[in-house]
Amino acid sequence: MSSHDEKYSGSCAGYAIGALDGKDLQEFEAHLKEGCASCGSELSILKEASALLPVTIPQLNPSPELKERIEFSARLSQIVRKDIDKTEEEQVEQPDEHPDIKPAVKAKHSAIVMGMLIAMIVMLIGFSVYIYSLFRTLEDQKNAGVGTQALLVKAVEELERKNIILDVFNSRDLKLIQLHGTEFNPDGYGQLIWDPAAQTAVLHVDNLPQAAGGKVYILWVSINRQYLFAQQCSLITEWGAQNYFQIKFAKNIDANDFEEIFATQEFNDKVSYPSEQRYLFYKKVK
Amino acid sequence: MNLNNELAPPAESSGRNEEDILLLKRIGDRDELALTSLYDKYSKILYSLTMRILKSVDDAEGIIHDIFLEVWNKPNDYQSNKGSFFSWLMNMTRNRSLTRKRSRSMHKQSHMAELNSLSFHTETHHGGASSSSLIDEYRDSVLGAINKLNGEEQQVLILAYYEGYSQSEIGRIVNLPIDVIKFRIDDALRTISSQLQRRS
């Protein structure tokens, strides 16, 4: 056996399953960085073998809800992505309000917008840092035009909202409450995606009409026969036919306590009791 | 034992990987059915592995949810030159499960209690109609390979693979020098690898 085999070959298996530690690990990683083809190849084969070990354990089926959750998550992230693309196109199509600005400055500005949109996709990490830096950049470029700045601020607010929605959606303790259409609009439906740890929810509604002139949608939650005002939801069709709203409950709530969830159209957001016109509802089955 | 001279990726695993790469490409094109196909193909074994490590439905489903969402959002993270998609997926799942387990400080449990419960499932069992083709394809071969290991080798392999212990930690648990542990892990995994290749 060569000195190479003696020193490194015996470490391949341990490294493949993550058991190598201490000095052995340091030496073997340094050896791999040198580009040893033999060890690299052995490692690959041993990793493939170790990946097959779980075929021998008792096979368990995950709940059907897990598949639904994953499909719904994927759909939501796709909607967000489409919306990003759309926003990007809109940004590109904006009329040139400041023809006097030098092309280099415009190019820099355009790069910021692009960077911001990419950050949306990878928003799970470092999003807040990016927003902060974006505002700093905006501060530095006040002379670049108020209209463009307002556009960017609006885009940032939108991204922040979607970031919260995605954060809720990625919560591990997610609860899903199906909402059903009323007689008024039997085609309306929705879900309340609930993150108990953060006391935050995302209301997803579909096929509901625009709020009548001057009215706003209010979401209500009924617990112990008392109506808890949740949040004003200005129902606007901004993501195609889909509408997502972030809802932060001020009170500590257990989703299991929900008796009814519904939305009403009100003339203002100061009402203390819901009107009779209920657009979505969930009723706990007793 | 030089595996490079003896082993090449089994033909069927190569074919499976090509299928997986096609599914990943479709996922890159935002084809939800491709994600569903991938889920149907691998969710069961991934979930079983996570449950074996964490023994918690909530934790296991949380990890599987995150993994498939990550595949959906970042299908290009898999690099085919570094091994099969299946092994990449399994390694990612195992690593995350072990990280979660460590964060729950499950290592504080009695080592003796764990040792008493350590064994591979060496009896042949079939999952019925819901069993995946991958499991059907490899179960008997892997079981056969594991049965060729002695008890000590099986023990260190379980402690390393499912419990996530390092060679030093295993040495302390079973009261043996690290070199012995290292040799047992090496011998065990190479034996399994060789057996799988002979089968193919």
Side-chain angles (χ1 to χ4, degrees), chain A residues 105 108-109 112 132-145 149 152:
Chain A
V105 176
K108 190 177 179 183
H109 220 122
I112 294 166
Y132 175 73
S133 66
L134 181 64
F135 274 112
R136 288 291 301 272
T137 308
L138 283 171
E139 281 296 312
D140 294 343
Q141 297 188 355
K142 273 183 180 172
N143 294 331
Q149 183 170 336
L152 282 170

Side-chain angles (χ1 to χ4, degrees), chain B residues 114-115 118 155-161 163-165 170 173-174:
Chain B
E114 287 180 8
L115 284 176
L118 290 178
Q155 186 186 53
V156 292
L157 202 56
I158 290 169
L159 284 169
Y161 191 83
E163 306 302 329
Y165 288 117
I170 297 171
I173 292 168
V174 299

Side-chain angles (χ1 to χ4, degrees), chain B residues 11-104:
Chain B
E12 62 271 40
S13 74
S14 169
R16 183 187 310 108
N17 206 45
E18 284 172 16
E19 285 172 19
D20 291 345
I21 289 171
L22 282 175
L23 287 173
L24 285 174
K25 280 182 182 166
R26 284 172 54 197
I27 285 173
D29 294 334
R30 319 317 291 159
D31 181 346
E32 288 179 30
L33 286 177
L35 180 68
T36 303
S37 298
L38 216 52
Y39 180 89
D40 290 341
K41 198 169 178 182
Y42 292 128
S43 62
K44 189 171 179 176
I45 191 163
L46 294 178
Y47 180 70
S48 303
L49 168 63
T50 313
M51 280 296 287
R52 171 66 179 79
I53 292 170
L54 291 168
K55 300 172 181 68
S56 157
V57 171
D58 283 351
D59 281 345
E61 293 200 343
I63 284 175
I64 303 302
H65 172 271
D66 292 350
I67 295 240
F68 276 99
L69 203 57
E70 202 164 313
V71 169
W72 171 255
N73 286 324
K74 293 184 270 185
N76 294 330
D77 275 7
Y78 164 65
Q79 295 173 320
S80 58
N81 61 339
K82 291 187 176 175
S84 69
F85 173 74
F86 169 71
S87 78
W88 179 77
L89 203 57
M90 291 295 279
N91 281 328
M92 183 160 63
T93 306
R94 176 177 169 258
N95 289 340
R96 296 216 180 153
S97 303
L98 290 174
T99 301
R100 179 76 50 83
K101 181 175 180 172
R102 287 184 193 111
S103 73
R104 291 191 332 203

